[in-house]
Amino acid sequence: MRATAKANTNIALIKYWGKRDEQLFLPMNSNLSITLDQFSTTTTVHIHTDRKEDVFLLNGQQEGAEETRKISRFLDIIRKQTGGQWAATVDSINHVPTAAGFASSASGFAALAAAATKAVGLELSEPQLSVLARQGSGSACRSIYGGFVEWKKGERKDGLDSHAVPILEQNEWDLSILSVLVESKRKKVLSREGMKRTVETSPFYTGWLEAVEKDMQLAKEAIFQRDFERLGMVLESNAMKMHATTLGANPPFMYWQSATFDVMEQVQELRMQGIQAYFTIDAGPNVKVLCEPHNEEKVCQVLKSLPTVQDVFICHPGNGVSYL
């Protein structure tokens, strides 16, 4: 009883910011992402019916009790569905540079959901697999699919209608996504804490919820029409609005650093020179810059020339979860 699955990470174009249910990872708003082709997690799950304790290996090293508990809590969901008594050895290899500013939790829990269900013989549809992955890490539900993906927030309290759906395959529109590394230190306010504080205390949060639905519609229209300028304008605006909510939280906080502003200003300067490039920023200081493939080399060169930029990683749209 063993299976191996691979999942790619993703970046949000229209942000997921705030939960309506902390336990089930149900989002306050629907959101939209691109699955990437360069950064992934490969996970092998071995099922043991003669053991009671799970074991978690990450990049060949056995993880401690805290990290293993997170994996066990997720496997408990599958154990409940199968009704069986078993333990697992979870062996994960992250092909995600932790310094690149990409969260590996999305690819990690997507790969774990796929491998574990396959290993125990639990046949799930892709929407069901997305629902399962979401309960490990919200953004993991989007990594089940490739290309451009929408995570529908759903309305049900049990979360069964809160899952990802594909809206455009990875080979239908090629874009370049440049991950610009400006800082590799652990952020002071983790995403989960930042979301919770913002939802509970920021007076700007209601404005975010009103605006994000319109942003979703505009972004989807731009994707269907392959209109890069329209997509770039809305994703950049959406990121700025998300980060504005953190300034109104109590106490207020900010994920950006001075180097973040350097990259933002450089991207705006590129547009003044006639090169279409747009930035988006998740809950951290690093910046993702989108451009069209014919501008990729130029944009990368300019960003790498900034003294405060440590590195630039180039990605394109990637595929969904696969079994090895």
Side-chain angles (χ1 to χ4, degrees), residues 51-107:
R51 269 194 358 214
K52 293 184 178 180
E53 299 294 326
D54 297 316
V55 174
F56 177 37
L57 303 170
L58 180 60
N59 296 333
Q61 300 294 317
Q62 184 168 340
E63 291 291 293
E66 183 179 351
E67 291 302 315
T68 303
R69 274 195 296 271
K70 292 178 186 177
I71 299 300
S72 292
R73 281 196 295 267
F74 184 75
L75 293 174
D76 284 343
I77 302 170
I78 302 172
R79 281 189 272 258
K80 186 177 179 180
Q81 292 186 40
T82 62
Q85 296 295 319
W86 46 266
T89 298
V90 176
D91 189 351
S92 288
I93 304 295
N94 262 350
H95 305 282
V96 182
T98 51
F102 283 107
S104 60
S105 61
S107 56

Side-chain angles (χ1 to χ4, degrees), residues 6 29 121 127 147 159 168 194 198 200 211 217 231 238 248 290 307 318:
K6 175 184 176 184
N29 63 276
L168 196 70
T198 304
E200 292 176 354
Q217 188 59 40
L231 177 62
N238 183 261
L290 277 76

Side-chain angles (χ1 to χ4, degrees), residues 1-5 43 45 47 74-75 77-79 81-82 86 88 109-125 128-130 132-133 144 321 323:
M1 300 173 71
R2 166 186 171 183
T4 301
T43 296
V45 175
I47 302 299
F74 184 75
L75 293 174
I77 302 170
I78 302 172
R79 281 189 272 258
Q81 292 186 40
T82 62
W86 46 266
F109 277 101
L112 176 58
T117 53
K118 188 85 166 178
V120 298
L122 190 61
E123 295 187 8
L124 299 182
S125 66
Q128 289 173 325
L129 193 59
S130 179
L132 175 61
I144 299 301
V321 72
Y323 298 93

Side-chain angles (χ1 to χ4, degrees), residues 6 46 194 202 215 238 246 286 303 310:
K6 175 184 176 184
H46 301 258
S202 178
D215 288 347
N238 183 261
T246 70
N286 297 307
L303 293 174
Q310 296 181 22

Side-chain angles (χ1 to χ4, degrees), residues 78-286:
I78 302 172
R79 281 189 272 258
K80 186 177 179 180
Q81 292 186 40
T82 62
Q85 296 295 319
W86 46 266
T89 298
V90 176
D91 189 351
S92 288
I93 304 295
N94 262 350
H95 305 282
V96 182
T98 51
F102 283 107
S104 60
S105 61
S107 56
F109 277 101
L112 176 58
T117 53
K118 188 85 166 178
V120 298
L122 190 61
E123 295 187 8
L124 299 182
S125 66
E126 286 185 326
Q128 289 173 325
L129 193 59
S130 179
V131 167
L132 175 61
R134 188 205 71 226
Q135 295 173 76
S137 172
S139 57
C141 77
R142 301 186 305 230
S143 282
I144 299 301
Y145 298 100
F148 295 81
V149 180
E150 177 183 359
W151 174 8
K152 292 182 176 294
K153 66 177 182 179
E155 302 294 337
R156 294 175 52 148
K157 288 186 178 181
D158 62 9
L160 292 181
D161 60 348
S162 179
H163 58 79
V165 294
I167 61 173
L168 196 70
E169 295 294 329
Q170 67 269 19
N171 56 3
E172 293 187 77
W173 192 20
D174 190 19
L175 295 178
S176 298
I177 305 102
L178 283 64
S179 177
V180 186
L181 172 64
V182 299
E183 178 60 60
S184 58
K185 295 177 184 177
R186 184 177 175 85
K187 54 193 176 188
K188 294 178 181 177
V189 180
L190 298 178
S191 301
R192 292 182 185 182
E193 162 60 23
M195 284 187 191
K196 192 170 188 296
R197 190 189 305 179
T198 304
V199 170
E200 292 176 354
T201 67
S202 178
F204 304 152
Y205 192 72
T206 52
W208 158 259
L209 290 179
E210 291 170 5
V212 73
E213 288 196 19
K214 183 179 179 182
D215 288 347
M216 275 291 294
Q217 188 59 40
L218 291 173
K220 287 167 70 175
E221 289 174 1
I223 290 169
F224 292 142
Q225 296 168 10
R226 316 296 199 274
D227 188 331
F228 179 67
E229 183 176 0
R230 284 182 65 197
L231 177 62
M233 289 174 66
V234 69
L235 71 87
E236 191 170 291
S237 170
N238 183 261
M240 297 287 272
K241 282 180 281 199
M242 185 204 92
H243 284 272
T245 66
T246 70
L247 302 180
N250 185 21
F253 62 99
M254 179 185 287
Y255 287 112
W256 300 348
Q257 298 178 7
S258 59
T260 311
F261 287 97
D262 292 342
V263 176
M264 294 160 66
E265 290 173 358
Q266 184 60 70
V267 170
Q268 292 169 338
E269 176 65 28
L270 282 167
R271 288 207 296 272
M272 291 177 65
Q273 297 171 13
I275 297 173
Q276 293 298 312
Y278 299 88
F279 62 78
T280 186
I281 309 165
D282 291 322
N286 297 307

